[in-house]
């Protein structure tokens, strides 16, 4: 049976908050879609703490919860794996968020309300609670995208996005291999260049109260340089990638 909506999230070392986040999003699924088949797909990216064990322990309590364990491959790898799991379930809609409890479920409605107007909808963190270095890198990447691709996206890597399942399948087919460090940027760029209105809907971003940021200081600079190189290389293939995406998507209710 096809799944109406899959919420997907990567998880890494979030033992202090993972159960709370699962409760929040499964409650949303139950409240909003009581008669539909829905899933919350959590990909445990080789966590070194008790995240994986907690997910396995609570899974029987939450019928919508689907737990996937993988060796540590990084956030982007886990996101793509989660997307592919959702596509394998023939999900009509796929919503991606993070497991660190920095977003509020109420903002889901803002994106959901636009689902008939675009197959790819982004939020953007109007006020962002992240380390100063991360904020600087975000601005650099935003300018890089504008320079390389001639397009402006407020928050291209945001883990708060709603994508029509059929369109996500087409996007993933155009994603470069091996998986880039920040695949969500590539998906957003392709969707925007293919002519979609991403809406860039302002959403709430909360201060991180648990866990730890895995990429800081020089490692952050290193991955920023890596992402810039990947984006520049992808520019050579963007034209044919976008051409494959320009066929109109069917309008869904």
């Amino acid at each position: 049976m096809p799944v109406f909506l899959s919420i997907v999230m990567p998880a890494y070392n979030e033992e202090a908050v993972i159960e709370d986040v699962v409760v929040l999003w499964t409650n949303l699924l139950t409240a909003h879609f009581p008669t539909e088949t829905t899933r919350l797909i959590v990909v445990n990216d080789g966590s070194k703490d008790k995240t994986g064990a907690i997910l396995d322990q609570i899974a029987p309590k939450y019928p919508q919860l689907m737990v996937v364990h993988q060796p540590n491959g990084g956030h982007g790898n886990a996101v793509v794996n989660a997307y592919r799991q959702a596509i394998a379930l023939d999900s009509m809609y796929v919503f991606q968020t993070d497991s660190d409890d920095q977003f509020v479920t109420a903002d889901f409605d803002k994106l959901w309300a636009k689902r008939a107007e675009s197959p790819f909808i982004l939020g953007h963190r109007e006020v962002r609670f992240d380390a100063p270095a991360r904020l600087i890198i975000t601005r650099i990447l935003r300018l890089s995208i504008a320079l390389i691709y001639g397009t402006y996206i407020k928050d291209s890597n945001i883990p708060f996005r709603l994508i029509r399942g059929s369109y996500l399948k087409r996007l993933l087919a155009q994603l470069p291999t091996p998986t880039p460090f920040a695949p969500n940027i590539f998906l957003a760029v392709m969707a925007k260049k293919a002519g979609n209105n991403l809406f860039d809907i302002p959403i709430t971003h909360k201060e991180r109260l648990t866990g730890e940021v895995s990429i800081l200081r020089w490692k952050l600079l290193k991955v920023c340089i890596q992402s810039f190189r990947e984006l520049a290389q992808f520019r050579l293939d963007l034209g044919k990638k976008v051409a494959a995406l320009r066929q109109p998507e069917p309008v869904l209710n």
Side-chain angles (χ1 to χ4, degrees):
M1 177 183 295
V3 172
F4 182 65
L5 169 67
S6 287
I7 297 176
V8 301
M9 63 173 67
Y12 179 73
N13 290 354
E14 297 290 358
E15 63 180 10
V17 75
I18 189 63
E19 183 169 3
D20 292 338
V21 172
V22 166
V23 170
L24 286 170
W25 289 102
T26 54
N27 283 348
L28 178 140
L29 291 173
T30 301
H32 282 56
F33 312 104
T35 63
E36 302 285 357
T37 301
T38 57
R39 290 288 181 271
L40 171 62
I41 304 171
V42 182
V43 175
N44 172 38
D45 185 34
S47 295
K48 297 178 181 178
D49 65 1
K50 297 178 182 178
T51 298
I54 292 171
L55 286 168
D56 287 339
Q57 181 182 4
I58 67 175
K61 296 164 55 178
Y62 303 102
Q64 296 114 319
L65 176 60
M66 175 178 168
V67 179
V68 178
H69 299 284
Q70 68 171 38
N72 181 252
H75 184 276
N77 182 279
V79 168
V80 171
N81 188 3
Y83 283 148
R84 295 196 189 283
Q85 297 287 339
I87 294 303
L89 294 175
D90 196 19
S91 302
M92 185 176 295
Y93 295 98
V94 181
F95 177 78
Q96 192 244 322
T97 188
D98 264 355
S99 57
D100 54 13
D101 198 26
Q102 287 191 268
F103 297 101
V104 298
T105 56
D107 282 338
F108 168 84
D109 293 338
K110 298 177 182 179
L111 277 66
W112 187 249
K114 297 288 188 181
R115 68 190 183 281
E117 300 178 51
S118 175
F120 193 104
I121 302 168
L122 288 182
H124 86 87
R125 290 162 280 200
E126 198 167 23
V127 178
R128 185 171 175 179
F129 290 93
D130 276 326
R134 280 179 169 258
L135 299 180
I136 292 171
I137 296 301
T138 296
R139 293 188 183 100
I140 292 173
L141 286 175
R142 187 183 298 148
L143 292 173
S144 298
I145 291 170
L147 175 65
I148 296 170
Y149 297 112
T151 192
Y152 180 80
I153 304 174
K154 289 183 178 179
D155 201 349
S156 62
N157 200 33
I158 187 171
F160 204 91
R161 54 186 61 205
L162 178 67
I163 312 172
R164 195 173 299 159
S166 58
Y167 194 66
L168 176 60
K169 184 176 181 179
R170 293 165 61 190
L171 282 170
L172 291 175
Q174 303 303 322
L175 194 66
T177 53
T179 301
F181 176 80
N184 269 342
I185 296 178
F186 289 78
L187 300 182
V189 168
M190 286 191 288
K192 182 70 177 285
K193 296 298 284 187
N196 295 296
N197 184 352
L198 310 189
F199 287 105
D200 295 312
I201 298 169
I203 61 166
T204 302
H205 189 239
K206 302 189 297 181
E207 187 175 358
R208 185 182 181 100
L209 300 177
T210 62
E212 59 183 44
V213 178
S214 58
I215 302 175
L216 289 171
R217 299 182 179 89
W218 290 111
K219 187 176 181 181
L220 187 62
L221 178 60
K222 180 180 178 180
V223 299
C224 181
I225 294 172
Q226 176 184 343
S227 295
F228 183 87
R229 288 174 176 169
E230 290 173 343
L231 287 167
Q233 179 63 37
F234 188 63
R235 179 68 180 85
L236 302 175
D237 299 322
L238 183 62
K240 62 182 181 182
K241 301 287 188 182
V242 169
L245 296 168
R246 285 196 181 277
Q247 295 181 356
E249 282 282 299
V251 176
L252 300 177
N253 295 322

